[in-house]
Amino acid sequence: QLAQQYGIGLEHIVSFGNAENDISMLSKTGYSVAVENAVDHVKSVACEVCGHHNEDGVAHWIEEHLL
């Protein structure tokens, strides 16, 4: 909804996930990242795997790739 509200195409969005319920989101965005502790199916859907959530994997990925 936010992407639509702000006129941002889903191809310009990065999504992060770890569980089966995240797969539909990961499949719709331009780039998808699973955390290291994600279930295997989520990892297979994602474009990339970042560090474990207990080690701030998403924050490190954002710092390395977007900032």
Side-chain angles (χ1 to χ4, degrees):
Q1 286 179 325
L2 286 174
Q4 186 176 21
Q5 180 180 341
Y6 289 102
I8 301 169
L10 292 177
E11 69 274 9
H12 299 293
I13 294 178
V14 177
S15 60
F16 298 86
N18 69 333
E20 293 285 334
N21 65 318
D22 296 323
I23 289 176
S24 63
M25 171 186 62
L26 295 169
S27 300
K28 292 178 183 171
T29 57
Y31 200 78
S32 56
V33 183
V35 290
E36 183 180 324
N37 55 290
V39 297
D40 288 337
H41 188 203
V42 173
K43 290 179 184 179
S44 72
V45 170
C47 299
E48 182 178 347
V49 177
C50 69
H52 195 285
H53 82 275
N54 285 342
E55 298 170 357
D56 300 323
V58 172
H60 290 296
W61 191 96
I62 290 171
E63 186 176 58
E64 291 174 20
H65 295 87
L66 301 176
L67 300 179

